[in-house]
Amino acid sequence: MRHVRRCTRPACVQPAVATLTYIYSDSTAVVGPLAAFAEPHSYDLCEEHAVRLTVPRGWEVVRHAGEFPSPLPHADDLEALADAVREAARVEPRGFQPASQTPAAASAVGRRGHLRVVPPSV
């Protein structure tokens, strides 16, 4: 199971869409798109916390221009969706005979798992 990157603000369970990094030597906070990897000295933020971030007096905030992109689905999410579709396809009502098992359709329709390949009309 994969680890979902969440907002690092206490009690926030929203997915992270931005990364906050402090540049202490310049008294600057940088809020940009979500970094590819979680870094120990940066903070992942949800959209609400990234937009509402405030800094101490004398500090500057450099913000990403535009909207933050939504987190991309991870391969594990896509595999879970595919597994759910496969599981749903296994349950067949009584008396149901797939088209590929009828003699006339067997030669015209190829079947793999729960998907059918239908030849194009001529």
Side-chain angles (χ1 to χ4, degrees):
M1 180 163 202
R2 74 179 178 98
H3 176 67
V4 177
R5 287 174 67 182
R6 300 276 180 205
C7 182
T8 55
R9 294 291 302 247
C12 184
V13 295
Q14 296 300 312
V17 297
T19 297
L20 166 65
T21 306
Y22 292 109
I23 304 171
Y24 294 99
S25 61
D26 295 333
S27 300
T28 303
V30 179
V31 180
L34 188 62
F37 301 98
E39 295 289 333
H41 299 290
S42 62
Y43 305 90
D44 294 338
L45 299 175
C46 66
E47 187 168 6
E48 178 183 353
H49 287 122
V51 171
R52 293 181 33 203
L53 177 79
T54 60
V55 294
R57 218 175 264 154
W59 279 62
E60 183 181 353
V61 178
V62 176
R63 293 184 193 272
H64 167 72
E67 295 181 9
F68 292 104
S70 298
L72 295 174
H74 192 272
D76 290 347
D77 295 335
L78 297 175
E79 288 174 17
L81 178 61
D83 290 342
V85 169
R86 278 190 213 104
E87 185 62 32
R90 286 185 198 166
V91 179
E92 295 178 351
R94 284 192 174 150
F96 176 76
Q97 185 176 16
S100 64
Q101 292 180 1
T102 60
S107 62
V109 177
R111 182 169 170 92
R112 182 176 179 203
H114 64 283
L115 302 176
R116 292 186 192 149
V117 179
V118 179
S121 355
V122 181

